Amino acid sequence: WIPEVIPLLKQITVISARSTYEACFPTEITQWKRQAFLALQCQMDQHALTNLIAVGDSAFEMDAAQAMGDRFAKAVVKTVKLRPQPSPQELLAELGLVLKQLERIMEAGHPLQIQIDRLRKGPSS
């Protein structure tokens, strides 16, 4: 599946909170994430109704998304917290689950906090 993913990844702008903000906040991971999210937020229309969806594997991203949402006049913040350090198979299953539910997440007119703790395996064949 990797060859299929590479063209998609080339279309994505990657923002590294660590490489950008570690020098300013050497031991504060929360600040790295928060500053990266807020820098992105500055590029957006502050007065538009904003549907902000953050998907990540740590509380740092979830907190940064909330801080970013607080800066908009009207924002509906939705966070999806994945398991930390999943195996490649677990990550693929988590992302598949998020993809299946993404439309419902996007269309929800209220804040959401979703946490994926563990994926259950289906019945054995």
Side-chain angles (χ1 to χ4, degrees):
W1 57 273
I2 291 292
E4 297 170 14
V5 173
I6 291 174
L8 294 174
L9 292 176
K10 289 181 179 180
Q11 297 176 35
I12 297 172
T13 301
V14 176
I15 300 169
S16 172
R18 182 179 196 155
S19 64
T20 306
Y21 295 102
E22 183 177 29
C24 297
F25 308 98
T27 60
E28 299 178 63
I29 298 170
T30 299
Q31 283 300 322
W32 304 346
K33 300 290 184 170
R34 185 171 289 212
Q35 295 304 317
F37 274 65
L38 294 177
L40 181 61
Q41 181 262 337
C42 288
Q43 300 171 21
M44 304 169 132
D45 182 352
Q46 313 304 309
H47 301 290
L49 176 60
T50 304
N51 190 20
L52 175 61
I53 302 171
V55 179
D57 67 353
S58 77
F60 301 121
E61 287 97 1
M62 306 305 109
D63 293 343
Q66 293 295 336
M68 183 177 175
D70 290 345
R71 298 275 182 107
F72 286 98
K74 295 180 182 177
V76 180
V77 179
K78 302 160 187 179
T79 59
V80 180
K81 180 161 177 325
L82 307 174
R83 293 181 62 226
Q85 300 178 325
S87 70
Q89 295 81 9
E90 290 169 331
L91 179 58
L92 187 59
E94 288 178 325
L95 294 175
L97 179 61
V98 171
L99 183 60
K100 284 182 184 178
Q101 298 300 318
L102 189 57
E103 188 171 347
R104 289 179 60 196
I105 293 168
M106 290 179 349
E107 291 176 352
H110 53 85
L112 294 174
Q113 290 182 333
I114 300 167
Q115 182 166 335
I116 299 174
D117 290 320
R118 176 173 67 156
L119 296 175
R120 295 190 178 130
K121 293 183 180 179
S124 298
S125 303

